């Protein structure tokens, strides 16, 4: 005899841990075995018994964990138990019959469940009313309103209620069966008999579910074939070579799996998109498997996969239409289909295109899968190009978009020479270009910057930190120019170096703003670079924010970081009279942001929000020997001894992070070289010359507490030996030592 009231008492236990344990111990083995016996009688094979018990075991362990115990104390977890007869078709299981003890509603349910999409499919095909009319009058209808609650509705109102849920996109499960209060006593055989009765009386619904799941499994197999292609697809579009790279197939969420793809040219990410493999047509709420291809946040292909299901071979023709506001959609469609035709994709009737032919008998496509998937990706990209939504456009001609350079000295008629800038992210080519310049950077550093900028397809953000003068800005410019095969000194129209101002407090510093006083939009260099990147997606655009922490980075850069992370638009203005400035802008993947920072009393710290979204590189190593080898031979011959001494001083400062960088060394060398170029009667001693540049360029940054006591001692001895005790540099060190003893801290400045 089963006492349902005792079950309810278990559900009413306040302690979550004890409740979960008792529900599991009391019910799981008993009802699992009862349903297993019933299923064996009704089905024979090809079924499994699923219970809520295993979930409760996990919940039980979580509730013992102090980390989760408090938040789970007042939940309804453990106030329900169910056991189901489930069947697997394809790679998915679905329920054929459910026994549920619901302690929240104090009800016992015996039912079959259908998804919203399955029931709505019956409505759209006109089969629901006839199927419901065949049900026994005692069969009740419920929709799920929450994890632990159901709502009973009149059978005659089901169609109207579900139809009303389409627009708000409410998608509840629908249940057909019996409900009894959790009170009184029943024989176990009586409850099992209720299950048998519901099984028999819902046979038509169950057969429909099995038929639907079988068709869905066949459609899922088709989508799995396409999803399985991960090899890079190469294609010529508008005369340019492109590569389409496919990402990893993500886990299923709400009946949909997604797979990223990236369009690249010469290693540059131009645009990203997604393949969506959906069990349902979410847009129209139909129970039809859909393959969608999205570019820049817009679905440009939305194909019904079940249309391929047949007994024989079936060509996959997909209709195309545009629904753009304020545009001639028929012209757009014809333009798009013409582009498909010119790129080798078959078109017919000026409204549909062919992606492949599926052989249902063999369960395979007759064409190469990589070619079929490539057609989908290319078609979506061409549709995005024609529609223009999201700011994506292919470069349709070979003409460069950079203004031609006018060479007045070539001849008298001011002929122009057109320069085309071609990017290349091949590291070997980049490194070779960098090696040919006079600047000194270690190969490991250059390689690290290259990987930090290019490893992610959609986020390119590097922060260069380090002492002043180590060449952070130079490195950024050097790399950007090397990508285009340019020397360090060359002008690069795809590089913007923007000094950050301390008064930058919000995003308008980067993206500009509408000024009522100026009666126009205040354009910034940063926004110009972003708009330029939108226009030329094939070209990488580098933006260097120089000394970016002179202002609080999280204040002025937050919109940019959010836009890159979310792929959402950044609003610029809400006016209708600005034709040249869009109302919102999306950060394209061909924007490479490099920030340089110094850490001193004039700068701000960088928040975790910013650091989490960037690769942070520290430039503290200074290779003076390589730097010296690239100095002019004549200068090296004149100043060899002075360089050796400066290198010695640098070595003393380095362990205390007080050393100087390339800029300081270069300026000292230049001053001493100019000094030696003076007439002999205007020169002094070489030691005095060396003493001056050290006192002027090296010592001013010297400061610290007791930790630099040994450094001051070493410098004093070195200056005494090489410069004399009468030198200015020696005098500064003596003074700083005295201040350190007296005050516990010292600095060059008095």
């Amino acid at each position: 005899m089963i006492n349902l009231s005792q079950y309810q008492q278990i559900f009413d236990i306040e302690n979550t841990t004890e409740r979960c344990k008792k529900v599991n111990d009391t019910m799981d083995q008993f009802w699992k075995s009862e349903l297993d016996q019933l299923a064996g009688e009704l089905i024979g094979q090809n079924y499994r018994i699923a219970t809520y018990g295993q979930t409760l075991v996990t919940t039980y362990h979580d509730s013992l964990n102090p980390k989760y115990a408090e938040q789970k104390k007042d939940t309804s977890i453990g106030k329900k138990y169910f056991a189901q007869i489930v069947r697997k078709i394809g790679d998915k299981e679905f329920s054929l019959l459910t026994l549920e003890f619901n302690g929240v509603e104090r009800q016992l349910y015996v039912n079959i469940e259908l998804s919203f999409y399955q029931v709505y499919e019956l409505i759209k095909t006109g089969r629901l009313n006839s199927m419901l009319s065949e049900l026994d009058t005692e069969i009740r209808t419920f929709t799920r309103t929450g994890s632990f609650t159901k709502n009973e509705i009149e059978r005659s109102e089901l169609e109207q209620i579900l139809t009303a849920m389409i627009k708000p996109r409410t998608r509840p499960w629908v249940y057909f069966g019996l409900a009894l209060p959790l009170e009184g006593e029943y024989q176990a055989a009586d409850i099992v008999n209720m299950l048998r009765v519901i099984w028999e009386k819902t046979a038509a619904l169950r057969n429909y579910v099995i038929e639907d799941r079988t068709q869905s499994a066949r459609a899922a197999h088709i989508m799995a074939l396409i999803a399985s292609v991960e090899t890079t697809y190469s294609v010529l579009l508008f005369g340019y070579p492109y590569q389409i790279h496919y990402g990893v197939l993500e886990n299923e969420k709400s009946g949909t799996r997604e797979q990223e793809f990236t369009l690249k040219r010469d290693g540059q990410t131009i645009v990203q998109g997604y393949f969506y493999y959906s069990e349902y047509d979410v847009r129209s709420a139909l129970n039809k498997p859909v393959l969608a291809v999205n570019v820049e946040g817009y679905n440009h292909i939305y194909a019904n996969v079940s249309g391929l299901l047949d007994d024989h071979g079936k060509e996959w023709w997909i209709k195309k239409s545009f629904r753009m506001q304020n545009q001639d959609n028929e012209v757009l469609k014809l333009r798009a289909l013409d582009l498909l035709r010119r790129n080798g994709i078959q078109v017919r009737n000026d409204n549909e295109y062919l992606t492949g032919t599926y052989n249902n008998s063999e369960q395979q496509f007759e064409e190469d899968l990589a070619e079929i998937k490539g057609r989908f990706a290319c078609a979506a990209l061409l549709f995005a190009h024609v529609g223009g939504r999201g700011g994506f456009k292919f470069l349709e001609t070979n003409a460069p978009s950079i203004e031609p350079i006018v060479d007045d000295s070539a001849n008298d008629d001011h002929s122009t020479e057109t320069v085309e800038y071609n990017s290349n992210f091949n590291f070997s080519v980049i490194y070779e270009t960098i090696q040919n310049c006079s600047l000194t950077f270690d190969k490991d550093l250059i390689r690290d910057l290259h990987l930090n900028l290019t490893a992610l397809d959609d986020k390119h953000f590097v922060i260069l930190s380090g002492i002043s003068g180590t060449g952070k800005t130079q490195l950024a410019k050097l790399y950007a120019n090397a990508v285009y095969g340019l020397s360090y000194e060359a002008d690069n129209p795809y590089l913007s170096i923007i000094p950050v101002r301390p008064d930058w407090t919000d995003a308008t510093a980067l993206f500009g703003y509408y000024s009522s006083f100026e009666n126009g939009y205040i354009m910034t260099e940063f926004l110009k670079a972003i708009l330029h990147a939108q226009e030329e997606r094939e070209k990488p655009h580098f933006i260097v924010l120089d000394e970016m922490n002179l202002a609080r980075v999280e204040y002025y850069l937050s919109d940019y970081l959010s836009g890159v992370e979310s792929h959402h638009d950044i609003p610029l203005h809400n006016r209708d009279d600005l034709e040249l400035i869009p109302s919102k802008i999306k950060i394209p993947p061909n924007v490479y942001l490099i920030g340089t920072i110094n850490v001193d009393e004039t700068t701000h710290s960088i928040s975790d929000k910013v650091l989490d979204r960037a690769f942070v590189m520290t430039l503290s190593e200074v290779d003076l020997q390589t730097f010296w080898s690239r100095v002019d031979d004549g200068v090296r011959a004149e100043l060899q001894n002075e360089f050796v001494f400066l290198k010695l001083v640098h070595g003393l400062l380095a362990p205390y992070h007080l050393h100087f960088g390339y800029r300081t060394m270069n300026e000292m060398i230049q001053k001493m070289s100019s000094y030696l170029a003076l007439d002999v009667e205007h020169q002094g001693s070489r030691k005095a010359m060396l003493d001056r540049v050290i006192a002027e360029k090296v010592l001013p940054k010297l400061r610290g507490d007791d930790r630099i006591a040994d450094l001051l001692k070493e410098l004093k001895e070195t200056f005494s030996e090489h410069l004399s005790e009468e030198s200015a540099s020696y005098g500064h060190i003596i003074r700083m030592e005295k201040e350190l003893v007296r005050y516990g801290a010292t600095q060059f400045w008095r």
Side-chain angles (χ1 to χ4, degrees), residues 58-71:
T58 303
T59 306
Y60 166 67
H61 288 299
D62 283 348
S63 62
L64 292 176
N65 187 334
K67 182 178 179 180
Y68 303 107
E70 188 63 29
Q71 68 188 60

Side-chain angles (χ1 to χ4, degrees), residues 628 631-640 669-670 673:
W628 185 242
V631 173
D632 181 76
D633 290 344
V635 174
R636 283 194 288 121
E638 288 181 332
L639 297 172
Q640 178 64 33
I669 294 295
Q670 287 191 39
S673 180

Side-chain angles (χ1 to χ4, degrees), residues 403-449:
E403 290 296 323
I405 297 174
V406 179
D407 185 3
D408 291 340
S409 63
N411 48 47
D412 294 335
D413 61 357
H414 300 282
S415 64
T416 62
E417 179 187 357
T418 300
V419 178
E420 184 173 1
Y421 295 84
N422 295 313
S423 61
N424 190 334
F425 275 106
N426 182 288
F427 179 71
S428 298
V429 176
I430 292 172
Y431 183 64
E432 182 180 352
T433 304
I434 290 176
Q435 284 294 93
N436 292 330
C437 81
S438 61
L439 298 177
T440 304
F441 291 103
D442 183 75
K443 182 176 182 179
D444 291 343
L445 178 67
I446 298 169
R447 181 179 57 232
D448 200 33
L449 175 61

Side-chain angles (χ1 to χ4, degrees), residues 45 65 186-187 234 236 333 488 496 556 573 592 635 651 749:
Q45 293 181 343
N65 187 334
Y186 287 83
Q187 294 287 344
S234 298
L236 276 175
K333 182 188 71 173
Y488 172 78
S496 300
Y556 69 83
H573 62 83
Y592 294 77
V635 174
W749 301 101

